[in-house]
Amino acid sequence: KLNRHKKLADLMQMLRRKLIGFQNYFGLPDNSWRLGKLQGFVTRRLHYWLNRRGGRKRSYNWKAMNDLLRHLKIPTLKVSKRMVIVDWY
């Protein structure tokens, strides 16, 4: 709620940074399903809040939303670590 008034470029830069950090921390081999769930949740919430900003000209349908995410280089979350050495066994 605190970030609704920010410019779109600033909001997307902050979102991109947080998603990359989340992927780097939680991107383990068995966690791809959860990363996909998070990606869907973030996309739906972002679509919802961007459409609440007001005005018909600013509203996004899903095609425009996906084009916006692609244009601003918002990453799709995927597993980034192929092999994890576990030393607690």
Side-chain angles (χ1 to χ4, degrees), residues 64-88:
M65 182 70 187
N66 289 329
D67 290 343
L68 175 71
L69 294 176
R70 204 172 309 113
H71 174 71
L72 294 173
K73 297 181 177 77
I74 302 299
T76 56
L77 298 178
K78 58 186 177 233
V79 173
S80 61
K81 300 173 183 142
R82 291 182 181 255
M83 184 147 167
V84 178
I85 298 173
V86 180
D87 61 353
W88 59 76

